[in-house]
Amino acid sequence: GDSVTQMEGPVTLSEEAFLTINCTYTATGYPSLFWYVQYPGEGLQLLLKATKADDKGSNKGFEATYRKETTSFHLEKGSVQVSDSAVYFCALSPRFSGGYNKLIFGAGTRLAVHP
Amino acid sequence: DAGITQSPRHKVTETGTPVTLRCHQTENHRYMYWYRQDPGHGLRLIHYSYGVKDTDKGEVSDGYSVSRSKTEDFLLTLESATSSQTSVYFCAISESSGGADTQYFGPGTRLTVL
C-alpha cells in the first residue's frame, strides 16, 4: 500500500544553518505531496504542497520539489531560525482514494534550532 | 485560521468510561476527519465524514464511533475508554475529496486514560 518514509529526528541545528529533511514515498500513480508543520502545542498547518511531478512547493523560505524518478519530496531551507523549531510531517494524497481526501503521513521529524 | 475548534482541549478520564470529543467548523466544508497522533506513527485516520449522517471507517477505527448530525459538528466517541486510547486527537476538514485538496487541522485534544 501507499506509504511515506521520512528521516528520523531529532534534527538539531544552529541558527542560519542549512536544513534538509528527507522524505520518500511509495504510491501507485501520481499522488499529491505535502509538508505540514506542527509548532509546540498546536495543530498541523500546511507548509507547502506539490501536485505533479517536477512541481516545486515553497513557503516561508522552505522548498520541496516533487521528484517522480526518485519518489522523493525533500524539504529544504537555506537558513533556519529558532522560530522554525517544530515537528515536520511529510504526507501524500492518492489521486483517487475512493470518495474522500485521503492523507497518509510519515512519522514526523522534530527540528530543534539553537541560537 | 481555518475556523476549526475542538473541545475539550485536555481531558483525563478513567478506563471504562465513555468519552466524547467535539469538532466544530465554521467553513461549511463537506468533509471532516478524526485522526490520532502517537509518537512514531504520525497521524492515523480514525473515521471520516462526507456529509451529514454520512461517515465511514479509517485505518484505526476499532473502539471509536462518530456522528455528524449537522454540517458544522463532528463528534468522536470512545464508548469505553482504554489506556491504549491515550493520545492526541485532531480533527480536520477539507472542501473536497480531491487528492490535491488541502486538509485544515484543529488545535487538538490531549486525552489521557488512566
Side-chain angles (χ1 to χ4, degrees):
Chain A
D2 297 345
S3 65
V4 175
T5 302
Q6 57 183 109
M7 62 190 290
E8 290 189 25
V11 174
T12 303
L13 295 173
S14 298
E15 207 164 24
E16 299 184 3
F18 184 86
L19 169 70
T20 299
I21 300 178
N22 291 336
C23 171
T24 57
Y25 68 89
T26 301
T28 54
Y30 297 88
S32 294
L33 301 174
F34 302 81
W35 277 101
Y36 280 86
V37 59
Q38 184 181 30
Y39 298 104
E42 298 183 9
L44 278 70
Q45 303 174 24
L46 177 69
L47 182 58
L48 52 85
K49 70 179 184 181
T51 59
K52 60 182 187 296
D54 300 324
D55 267 2
K56 178 185 284 188
S58 61
N59 186 26
K60 300 180 181 179
F62 291 89
E63 293 183 340
T65 301
Y66 189 141
R67 301 288 189 199
K68 182 68 176 174
E69 63 277 12
T70 55
T71 62
S72 64
F73 193 55
H74 305 320
L75 183 68
E76 297 182 335
K77 187 177 185 184
S79 176
V80 294
Q81 306 300 313
V82 172
S83 57
D84 294 326
S85 298
V87 181
Y88 293 81
F89 292 93
C90 185
L92 73 81
S93 182
R95 192 159 298 276
F96 304 105
S97 58
Y100 69 104
N101 177 242
K102 183 176 185 178
L103 263 184
I104 298 167
F105 287 89
T109 302
R110 182 175 300 276
L111 170 66
V113 181
H114 299 289
Chain B
D1 184 359
I4 308 170
T5 56
Q6 294 184 230
S7 59
R9 294 293 312 280
H10 302 272
K11 186 169 182 66
V12 179
T13 191
E14 295 188 350
T15 297
T17 60
V19 176
T20 295
L21 309 182
R22 179 178 182 246
C23 176
H24 178 79
Q25 60 146 331
T26 59
E27 306 298 314
N28 204 37
H29 282 358
R30 179 180 173 189
Y31 295 85
M32 299 185 75
Y33 311 83
W34 277 108
Y35 292 89
R36 60 178 288 171
Q37 182 183 24
D38 304 291
H41 290 278
L43 275 74
R44 292 178 292 175
L45 183 66
I46 303 171
H47 282 279
Y48 67 95
S49 170
Y50 49 98
V52 173
K53 297 192 187 334
D54 293 323
T55 65
D56 207 344
K57 296 178 180 180
E59 178 187 1
V60 290
S61 59
D62 287 349
Y64 303 94
S65 62
V66 291
S67 64
R68 192 170 177 197
S69 59
K70 298 185 291 185
T71 298
E72 59 264 36
D73 290 327
F74 192 31
L75 304 181
L76 176 71
T77 297
L78 292 65
E79 299 289 349
S80 178
T82 67
S83 59
S84 65
Q85 294 175 312
T86 292
S87 187
V88 182
Y89 292 86
F90 288 98
C91 174
I93 63 175
S94 69
E95 188 171 14
S96 77
S97 62
D101 199 7
T102 297
Q103 284 190 25
Y104 298 93
F105 287 80
T109 295
R110 182 174 296 276
L111 176 66
T112 302
V113 183
L114 301 177

